[in-house]
Amino acid sequence: MRTALLQSSGRPGSVVENLRVLDEAAGRAAAAGAGLLVAPEMFLTGYAIGDDIAHLAEPADGDAADAIAEIATRHGVAVAYGYPERAGDTVFNSAQLISADGTRLANYRKTHLFGCFEQDHFTPGEQPVVQAELGGLRVGIMICYDVEFPENVRAHALAGTDLLIVPTAQMHPFQFVAESVVPVRAFENQMYVAYVNRTGQEGEFDFVGLSTLAGPDGVARARAGRGEQLVLADADPAFLAASREANPYLKDRRPGLYGSLV
């Protein structure tokens, strides 16, 4: 499945403008043959927007989800995007996957909140593995900091995730996560990982870009630079199956030895 990574911070604070950017990117992705477009963490509203996070938060089935379903349907491409989700009085840092026919396939709430900023504005989610079937692949979702916990990604591997999409807001000086950690996660768990970042200065944060689609061989199939960019690469089920056959990590595990880890 050809996967498009939208590296952009859009316009923080403007849902209307960010929907416009997403619409334009969906058109370009579809024209390039992509079956999936992934946007960064909190793309719908912006990340460093302070109390506007709570003001702009929407339910998973809110107006913005309807607008993105219309974009996905019109362009014939599935869309995954980050947004602040309101559930009653609670706000989550969430990511949602909508199919090319406008169906809401999966909604994930970030389980590991990074730093005081996120801990002050969000409640952590409690469901570590969220998946959906798309384009012949089992697609899993997590958000940014979540991928830095090996237990999280291994849980996806054991649940059969083929392509893990990770909307992110990775900032300086932690670019080694995009450069080194993400390809290793893909290799040690035998999956594709699509890590899709924001870029540029936003409030106190300097987002580093470097979005990547890493394969199960630990090799980046696509790597963005530091600026606004749409990059594309393929998640190939046949290559994944061959890689899993050749790499014995998951088969050679000895779970009985690992009880002390939890």
Side-chain angles (χ1 to χ4, degrees):
M1 180 172 61
R2 181 151 295 176
T3 303
L5 317 182
L6 174 58
Q7 180 167 286
S8 172
S9 289
R11 182 179 295 174
S14 175
V15 172
V16 170
E17 177 63 14
N18 294 331
L19 288 172
R20 186 199 65 77
V21 173
L22 193 66
D23 189 7
E24 188 271 340
R28 291 167 58 200
L36 171 64
L37 170 67
V38 185
E41 180 176 5
M42 292 286 287
F43 183 77
L44 181 66
T45 60
Y47 182 90
I49 58 173
D51 290 341
D52 282 345
I53 289 173
H55 299 150
L56 295 175
E58 292 191 13
D61 60 353
D63 291 343
D66 289 343
I68 293 171
E70 190 278 329
I71 290 171
T73 302
R74 179 156 40 83
H75 293 291
V77 62
V79 177
Y81 65 99
Y83 74 108
E85 178 193 355
R86 177 170 294 284
D89 294 329
T90 304
V91 177
F92 299 96
N93 183 337
S94 296
Q96 182 153 232
L97 174 63
I98 296 178
S99 73
D101 66 5
T103 302
R104 293 174 47 244
L105 295 179
N107 188 71
Y108 171 78
R109 296 165 173 174
K110 189 173 185 177
T111 54
H112 295 75
L113 302 180
F114 178 77
C116 295
F117 178 82
E118 291 191 8
Q119 293 167 13
D120 287 345
H121 288 92
F122 300 108
T123 296
E126 296 296 333
Q127 186 174 353
V129 177
V130 172
Q131 299 169 311
E133 301 296 325
L134 182 70
L137 295 169
R138 183 169 295 178
V139 177
I141 309 173
M142 59 178 57
I143 300 173
C144 197
Y145 194 39
D146 291 327
V147 81
E148 298 177 38
F149 292 82
E151 300 90 344
N152 264 14
V153 189
R154 180 52 54 87
H156 269 274
L158 297 177
T161 292
D162 300 314
L163 170 61
L164 182 63
I165 56 178
V166 189
T168 191
Q170 183 63 67
M171 58 201 69
H172 179 82
F174 305 112
Q175 50 265 32
F176 67 88
V177 174
E179 294 169 339
S180 300
V181 174
V182 168
V184 169
R185 289 286 178 271
F187 179 71
E188 68 190 5
N189 291 289
Q190 287 300 290
M191 62 175 61
Y192 287 94
V193 179
Y195 187 80
V196 187
N197 201 9
R198 306 180 68 82
T199 182
Q201 195 74 32
E202 190 177 330
E204 64 184 287
F205 305 111
D206 181 14
F207 298 115
V208 300
L210 302 176
S211 299
T212 187
L213 179 67
D217 53 359
V219 175
R221 298 299 190 275
R223 170 82 69 187
R226 297 298 184 97
E228 302 268 337
Q229 198 170 350
L230 183 73
V231 297
L232 296 102
D234 293 329
D236 180 355
F239 182 85
L240 179 61
S243 181
R244 286 173 170 172
E245 183 64 28
N247 187 314
Y249 275 157
L250 298 179
K251 290 182 289 188
D252 288 351
R253 293 173 65 252
R254 296 181 61 192
L257 301 179
Y258 312 146
S260 63
L261 295 178
V262 295

